[in-house]
Amino acid sequence: MAGLSFATGTFMLLRSKGRRLSVHLTEREHRVAERERAALAAERRNAALTEQHRLHFDLLCKAMGDATLAAVLNTYDEPVPPERQRQFLFANALYINALHAHRIGAVTLQELYGHLRVMCQNPIFRQYWDATRHHRASLDHSSDEAKVGRVMDRLAEELDHADTDEWWVVGEPPAG
């Protein structure tokens, strides 16, 4: 009888451990599945952002090549001659390309900051940035574009007030 009791006890113990192992595996499998779902959602988001970026770029290219189409995008506070407007559209394409690279994770915020710092060295880009200030005012304050816009605004201001010609050291890249 003692042998049967021992065998039954051992069986119950192993069965109990098996259930706990099964629960742990299920929890682990759940975490893996959740990570896979999150990765798939990020992949879908990046694909949608990339498609939207392509469409935006195609529209900008059409406008850069046709002054009558570029006139539709002329929403600046002051008159902008057609040649300058094409330059502004190209500046927008450069900026949006850098923003897109950050949005999809191709560049970190610190790397994006370096790209923005270089763009700020061009006077036409700086004119574009100033001319489109009111465009950015309508962005959702918490959006990626608004956040990067504020980073760019701070950088432009720091560069304007810098007391060095070494522009590549001006400003503190944002954390994160």
Side-chain angles (χ1 to χ4, degrees):
M1 193 70 166
L4 182 58
S5 292
F6 178 77
T8 303
T10 302
F11 174 74
M12 296 302 282
L13 180 64
L14 290 174
R15 185 173 168 202
S16 173
K17 284 186 178 187
R19 273 195 209 128
R20 278 187 271 152
L21 181 59
S22 174
V23 168
H24 289 297
L25 287 176
T26 303
E27 289 173 14
R28 181 176 175 270
E29 290 168 350
H30 177 70
R31 286 192 305 271
V32 168
E34 188 59 36
R35 280 195 300 269
E36 288 173 357
R37 279 192 292 277
L40 186 57
E43 191 175 305
R44 284 185 188 136
R45 178 183 181 272
N46 286 348
L49 284 170
T50 297
E51 184 57 32
Q52 191 280 327
H53 177 70
R54 277 192 201 111
L55 178 59
H56 180 258
F57 185 73
D58 289 346
L59 293 170
L60 285 178
C61 286
K62 288 178 182 183
M64 283 185 275
D66 185 335
T68 61
L69 296 178
V72 174
L73 297 175
N74 189 341
T75 58
Y76 308 107
D77 288 338
E78 298 176 11
V80 176
E83 181 179 328
R84 179 54 45 106
Q85 186 173 10
R86 282 191 299 278
Q87 292 171 331
F88 281 6
L89 294 173
F90 187 74
N92 177 261
L94 291 175
Y95 173 73
I96 293 299
N97 187 62
L99 175 63
H100 175 68
H102 172 64
R103 279 179 169 163
I104 65 168
V107 298
T108 65
L109 189 56
Q110 291 81 12
E111 291 168 326
L112 176 61
Y113 189 81
H115 292 296
L116 298 177
R117 193 185 273 158
V118 171
M119 285 183 217
C120 279
Q121 298 313 300
N122 184 280
I124 296 170
F125 182 86
R126 292 294 292 275
Q127 289 171 9
Y128 153 77
W129 194 253
D130 289 338
T132 57
R133 184 170 305 282
H134 66 283
H135 296 173
R136 292 182 301 282
S138 66
L139 295 173
D140 177 348
H141 190 74
S142 65
S143 72
D144 289 338
E145 190 170 354
K147 290 174 186 174
V148 171
R150 288 190 299 275
V151 167
M152 180 69 178
D153 288 340
R154 279 191 303 278
L155 176 59
E157 188 173 322
E158 289 170 347
L159 287 165
D160 286 344
H161 296 95
D163 58 356
T164 180
D165 291 334
E166 296 176 342
W167 56 266
W168 55 91
V169 298
V170 172
E172 185 65 31

